[in-house]
Structures are given as C-alpha cells and as structure tokens.
Amino acid sequence: FEATNSGIQIGVSVIAAELVQRVVDAAEELGVKTVISPECGHAYTAMRFEGPNLIGRAYRFRVQHILEVLDEFRQQGLLKTQGTEDSRLTFHDPCQLVRKGGVVQEPRNLVNMVATQFVEMKDHGTMNWCCSGGGGVSANERADALKFKAFRQKKSQLDELGIDTLVTACANCRITLEEGLEEYEMDIPVVGLTEMLAEHLVEDK
C-alpha cells in the first residue's frame, strides 16, 4: 500500500539516508536486479532519485515503480486480463510519480487494458493538479482548512467530467482524495490502479 520514507517527508536527511540504506543493504545481500516501489509517491522518488545521493554511491540494482513493471509485463504479453470496467473513470496523476518521476504513459496503458470509458482531466499528465495533500500538508491536521480549500481545484476537474470512479497510484493521494471527496459530499470511489488490474487478472489453471 505504501512505503513512505519518513525522513524525506519531514526533511531530515540523516533519517532519509538510513531508511534508504536499509533497503539497499537488503537488496544487495539478496543479489536482486530490481527493487520495486509500491503505489507510494515518496517511496518511489526517495529510493530511485534521491537515494544514491543520500548514501553517496550508485546502486547495484535498478529501482522501478510497480506501474513501470506492470507495463513492461503488458508489452511482453505477460499481463493478461479479462472483463472490463464499464464505469466512467479518470486517472489522477500523483505529483511524485508523474510530474517528478516521469511515469506518465504507463498508467494510461494499464488503465486502457480494462477500462471502456476512460476520460482524461483537462489538465492531465505532468500538468495535473495536486491532490491537495502534497508538501506534507496531508500529514498536518492543522493544515486541513488549507487542504480542503486547495481540493476545490481537483473538485472542479472531477465535476467537469462527471465520473463514477477515480483511479490513482499513490497511497498519499488516495487518502487525501478520499478526505476531500467526503468533505464536499462527492460520492466517488477512489481505487488504486494495481488493485483495479488485479480484479481482472487471468488466473493460470
């Protein structure tokens, strides 16, 4: 669900480096070729982009977000799905994953494997609006008023589309979106993309 590097979130590089080092030590002891980040924006960018600087050296493995891995499986014909999502849905681009991490097309490739009514927000991809919980706001209860005020921008995007389901790929975004939707009494379920795909996987007999 998430693997947040709390050192990155609170701005303490010593803690951030220690948390990265634990993953590096375990991965290198196991001799893995890839470390996969779950649907967690800070975990992905902390490990992939900031990690080598934090520990002072390059990794002996690569770091990928789970959506990058799944999209590679799709390209190789290894990801097989059955059935469709027929509700009108859109994808919220997490800032860490998309704007900062550059994982833009992969989630769309995966959504289109199962969705028959996928619609884009007017400002999407690297230009999408934040969920309203970025910059640590989601973890600060004193900032709730600011968060809900900022959520109005996301609300206007969703109102334009008239969607039934909101899909995303970041645990922090998901929680923040759910709180904003509840605040404005918008009855829209929020689902993780990997979770949605899992519902349609073809199981080998």
Side-chain angles (χ1 to χ4, degrees), residues 39 65-75 79 81 85 89 91 103-115 118 167 169 193-194 196-197 200:
E39 288 192 355
H65 191 274
I66 183 63
L67 297 190
E68 294 179 291
V69 176
L70 291 174
D71 194 49
E72 285 187 1
F73 288 168
R74 178 193 64 81
Q75 293 177 60
L79 187 65
T81 59
E85 291 285 330
L89 59 81
F91 179 74
V103 183
V104 182
Q105 189 56 46
E106 291 89 341
R108 288 162 171 82
N109 293 340
L110 296 169
V111 167
N112 281 317
M113 288 186 73
V114 296
F118 171 46
V167 183
L193 179 48
T194 53
M196 187 175 78
L197 282 173
H200 294 279

Side-chain angles (χ1 to χ4, degrees), residues 14-172:
V14 174
I15 296 175
E18 180 179 344
L19 294 175
V20 169
Q21 191 67 61
R22 290 178 187 176
V23 177
V24 171
D25 290 345
E28 292 184 347
E29 182 179 347
L30 291 168
V32 304
K33 295 180 180 179
T34 306
V35 169
I36 302 171
S37 171
E39 288 192 355
C40 178
H42 286 94
Y44 173 66
T45 54
M47 195 68 204
R48 183 164 183 171
F49 301 113
E50 300 177 52
N53 289 329
L54 286 166
I55 68 171
R57 68 172 176 86
Y59 301 146
R60 302 189 188 107
F61 52 84
R62 65 177 181 166
V63 177
Q64 286 188 293
H65 191 274
I66 183 63
L67 297 190
E68 294 179 291
V69 176
L70 291 174
D71 194 49
E72 285 187 1
F73 288 168
R74 178 193 64 81
Q75 293 177 60
Q76 296 163 11
L78 300 174
L79 187 65
K80 300 184 185 301
T81 59
Q82 60 185 359
T84 57
E85 291 285 330
D86 298 321
S87 65
R88 185 175 171 84
L89 59 81
T90 193
F91 179 74
H92 164 76
D93 296 278
C95 294
Q96 295 285 331
L97 176 63
V98 178
R99 190 176 4 262
K100 187 174 181 181
V103 183
V104 182
Q105 189 56 46
E106 291 89 341
R108 288 162 171 82
N109 293 340
L110 296 169
V111 167
N112 281 317
M113 288 186 73
V114 296
T116 59
Q117 295 192 71
F118 171 46
V119 291
E120 292 276 24
M121 299 182 202
K122 182 170 62 177
D123 299 304
H124 60 269
T126 56
M127 298 304 293
N128 209 336
W129 290 90
C130 175
C131 65
S132 75
V137 172
S138 62
N140 183 358
E141 291 182 359
R142 292 172 299 174
D144 278 354
L146 175 63
K147 178 178 68 176
F148 291 134
K149 184 176 180 179
F151 186 81
R152 292 176 191 165
Q153 184 62 49
K154 183 57 61 179
K155 179 181 184 302
S156 68
Q157 285 187 298
L158 300 177
D159 285 342
E160 283 183 8
L161 295 178
I163 59 162
D164 303 307
T165 306
L166 178 56
V167 183
T168 191
C170 169
N172 194 53

